[in-house]
Amino acid sequence: NELASMMDVSVTQIISTCMSLGMFVSINQRLDAETLTIVADEFGYQVDFVKPTEEEINLEEEDEDDDLLPRAPIVTVMGHVDHGKTSLLDFIRKTNVISGEAGGITQHIGAYEVKLEDGRKITFLDTPGHEAFTAMRARGAQATDIAIIVIAADDSVMPQTREAINHAQAAGVPIVFAFNKIDKPGANPDKVREQLSAMNILVEEWGGKYQTQEISAKSGLNIDLLLEKVLLEAEILDLKANPNKRAVGTVIEAALDKGRGIVTTVLIQAGTLRVGDPILAGCYSGRVKALSNERGQKVDQAGPSTPVQVLGMQGAPTAGDKFNAMESEPEAREIANKRLQLQREQGLRTQKHITLDEIGRRLAIGNFKELNIIVKGDVDGSIEALSDSLLKLSTQEIQVNIIHKSVGQISESDVLLASASDAIIIGFQVRPSSGARKLAEQEEIDIRLYSIIYDAINEVKAAMEGMLAPEF
Ligand code: GDP
């Protein structure tokens, strides 16, 4: 209807044009960018896409430099299974390394804040692992400042350790390594340092930039030192936020509680959230009825880098959804309804990911500069050979990045990383798991399977050449 009136043609003409394209549309249906372009072209119009109004995409109030105050770092713990992630998070939660309130934090609300004796704070996301981290990124949420990667010193760098490193690096999040289980007789942290250096990760003790700390998550040995290093990393990042504006944050968890209604854990990233504020998260709105912290205590307000449980959402948003305090409840409701409608019309997806076939078009539109690739294969040798050759395809116009490579079938975590980093996945002599295939369909991730290295290289090369913008 809108398009028809903009072009001054009848709605039926638009609908029949869509039908000729094989689309059956209703009068109020939203059309995607490509369809709009084609339909408009049929009527001799060219579509010029303007960004949605500022209010619709960015609900956050702008900051002046003077408004920005230091904020606590937000940390995610990652690492291979059984290397001690949960033990580390539990120790930090339960003990007073970490002074202040007596007793530990007994609740699990998805995130918690700890306070050191000198008053400095660190916020931990309580769901360990790079999968959760990357799933949030895939939804557009960047809620981690620093990653602690735990490696059991009696074991070695394992596949999920590598994954965690690659996922953190793909997100540009600095890493502090915790060499755990140092109490065990077989612990050999130097072996781990060596394995890391073989991956081009040089630890500080060996002249590199990565901080490490030997710890025992079980006994708590040196965990205070680990936190010091995290804070040092945070200092370098110079983390700041404006506490004096309407709150902006990310949804960490949401659940229905029989007695209390929807309980949403939100990590506030800027501004301050107060009881009574109108709120919006994902496709739902509401008003803050009550706030409580990770100790189950009622609080009146929550500022930057604070996790807080919010009562008063009308529906349960999804982890990773943006959270905004709004000026008025009707405004929040209106945007929520609009989003809900959009979601119904377009399915869950909002962002299209790169495919080999699409590269040419993207380049023609403008600034396609990097091609991110994840390489999975059956043996190390072929993965290395393939990755090297792909990297060599880089040209002045397009930089090829191998953001992750490892042996094994294509997993859901690979697909999530591809979604978060807009990458394609190349499988050499391996296939995706059924879960990965489903997720790839949903996220529209391009998975290419090859059994001959030469074919893989040629196809990527052809795509890149097809996409090379003509030089005049
Ligand atoms: P996650 O899978 O990475 O979360 O690992 P967990 O925290 O569940 O730990 C796996 C196992 O290692 C558990 O049995 C822990 O008790 C044990 N563990 C964790 N940290 C240490 C440690 O510092 N020393 C020793 N000896 N055992 C540990």
Side-chain angles (χ1 to χ4, degrees):
N1 192 22
E2 276 176 56
L3 181 63
S5 62
M6 278 165 122
M7 299 194 301
D8 205 16
V9 298
S10 76
V11 178
T12 19
Q13 279 177 285
I14 302 263
I15 294 180
S16 65
T17 306
C18 287
M19 266 163 96
S20 69
L21 295 170
M23 293 176 61
F24 296 87
V25 299
S26 68
I27 186 162
N28 289 320
Q29 189 153 341
R30 280 165 209 275
L31 305 178
D32 61 30
E34 198 177 346
T35 314
L36 280 172
T37 311
I38 297 170
V39 173
D41 189 50
E42 291 286 315
F43 295 92
Y45 285 90
Q46 203 185 330
V47 177
D48 192 10
F49 290 96
V50 291
K51 285 201 180 130
T53 57
E54 204 61 18
E55 301 85 79
E56 282 186 297
I57 48 164
N58 190 6
L59 300 165
E60 183 172 352
E61 295 166 89
E62 297 240 345
D63 301 316
E64 303 288 332
D65 276 354
D66 300 351
D67 303 333
L68 299 175
L69 298 177
R71 64 167 180 86
I74 301 161
V75 176
T76 297
V77 176
M78 309 181 191
H80 195 72
V81 63
D82 280 347
H83 278 196
K85 301 178 291 292
T86 313
S87 306
L88 176 61
L89 280 166
D90 282 350
F91 184 88
I92 297 171
R93 181 193 301 111
K94 288 194 186 124
T95 50
N96 299 330
V97 181
I98 316 165
S99 67
E101 281 113 303
I105 301 159
T106 47
Q107 298 204 329
H108 273 275
I109 68 166
Y112 62 83
E113 179 187 75
V114 293
K115 200 169 173 181
L116 276 70
E117 275 168 31
D118 57 10
R120 288 179 299 168
K121 292 175 178 174
I122 305 177
T123 299
F124 283 90
L125 294 182
D126 208 2
T127 315
H130 56 275
E131 294 89 352
F133 167 81
T134 298
M136 295 268 267
R137 276 187 66 221
R139 297 191 59 82
Q142 181 76 286
T144 298
D145 300 308
I146 296 166
I148 294 180
I149 295 187
V150 179
I151 308 175
D154 66 333
D155 197 357
S156 46
V157 169
M158 297 294 281
Q160 285 172 48
T161 318
R162 286 174 201 277
E163 266 187 47
I165 292 170
N166 291 342
H167 283 226
Q169 287 184 334
V173 169
I175 300 169
V176 176
F177 287 97
F179 298 153
N180 190 31
K181 309 199 186 183
I182 207 73
D183 57 295
K184 281 192 145 181
N188 184 358
D190 266 341
K191 187 179 104 189
V192 178
R193 288 188 182 94
E194 204 172 304
Q195 290 173 332
L196 287 175
S197 77
M199 296 175 64
N200 269 331
I201 297 208
L202 207 53
V203 300
E204 214 175 41
E205 308 87 280
W206 291 7
K209 67 168 182 179
Y210 290 91
Q211 298 193 84
T212 70
Q213 181 60 53
E214 298 176 9
I215 62 163
S216 167
K218 204 169 191 175
S219 73
L221 179 75
N222 292 345
I223 289 182
D224 49 347
L225 299 179
L226 175 67
L227 299 186
E228 275 303 325
K229 291 187 173 166
V230 167
L231 285 166
L232 195 66
E233 204 67 51
E235 245 170 66
I236 299 167
L237 293 173
D238 194 24
L239 303 166
K240 288 186 172 163
N242 175 8
N244 298 310
K245 63 176 182 179
R246 288 197 300 275
V248 179
T250 297
V251 173
I252 304 294
E253 273 181 22
L256 178 66
D257 179 295
K258 272 191 200 129
R260 297 185 295 168
I262 306 282
V263 182
T264 313
T265 298
V266 177
L267 178 64
I268 305 296
Q269 288 166 299
T272 298
L273 185 68
R274 295 188 176 81
V275 174
D277 283 350
I279 45 176
L280 168 73
C283 301
Y284 300 99
S285 63
R287 181 182 285 277
V288 181
K289 276 198 243 157
L291 295 173
S292 55
N293 65 17
E294 62 280 310
R295 292 161 195 271
Q297 299 156 334
K298 285 230 149 45
V299 294
D300 299 328
Q301 57 178 55
S305 295
T306 316
V308 68
Q309 272 198 320
V310 179
L311 294 188
M313 288 295 299
Q314 302 273 317
T318 310
D321 277 345
K322 259 233 157 310
F323 177 93
N324 290 89
M326 304 291 294
E327 225 167 317
S328 77
E329 226 177 320
E331 183 195 9
R333 203 177 311 126
E334 191 192 320
I335 297 178
N337 286 339
K338 227 188 241 173
R339 287 181 180 171
L340 201 61
Q341 192 193 349
L342 263 175
Q343 196 188 66
R344 284 202 192 111
E345 284 168 8
Q346 304 186 338
L348 278 170
R349 255 188 15 73
T350 49
Q351 197 195 343
K352 181 149 174 75
H353 294 292
I354 192 68
T355 62
L356 275 190
D357 299 333
E358 228 227 354
I359 292 174
R361 203 163 1 132
R362 281 220 197 167
L363 239 210
I365 300 170
N367 51 0
F368 186 79
K369 296 236 161 54
E370 286 183 293
L371 175 58
N372 290 336
I373 304 180
I374 294 171
V375 180
K376 298 292 296 240
D378 57 342
V379 289
D380 243 345
S382 41
I383 294 171
E384 290 304 324
L386 179 55
S387 305
D388 280 351
S389 311
L390 289 170
L391 283 174
K392 285 193 193 124
L393 294 178
S394 292
T395 61
Q396 278 197 321
E397 284 81 12
I398 305 147
Q399 162 84 39
V400 175
N401 301 318
I402 308 292
I403 58 169
H404 177 58
K405 56 181 178 195
S406 72
V407 173
Q409 70 173 350
I410 297 162
S411 66
E412 285 170 67
S413 136
D414 296 326
V415 176
L416 280 174
L417 179 62
S419 172
S421 305
D422 202 14
I424 62 163
I425 301 176
I426 290 185
F428 181 72
Q429 303 273 31
V430 291
R431 331 204 103 253
S433 68
S434 68
R437 185 172 297 131
K438 266 190 221 132
L439 190 62
E441 242 165 61
Q442 194 183 317
E443 299 283 321
E444 292 192 18
I445 298 301
D446 194 6
I447 298 182
R448 301 270 168 154
L449 305 175
Y450 301 95
S451 47
I452 298 168
I453 290 187
Y454 177 82
D455 287 347
I457 297 160
N458 262 2
E459 227 174 281
V460 174
K461 186 158 177 252
M464 286 176 61
E465 279 168 357
M467 74 189 171
L468 289 180
E471 283 176 32
F472 295 109

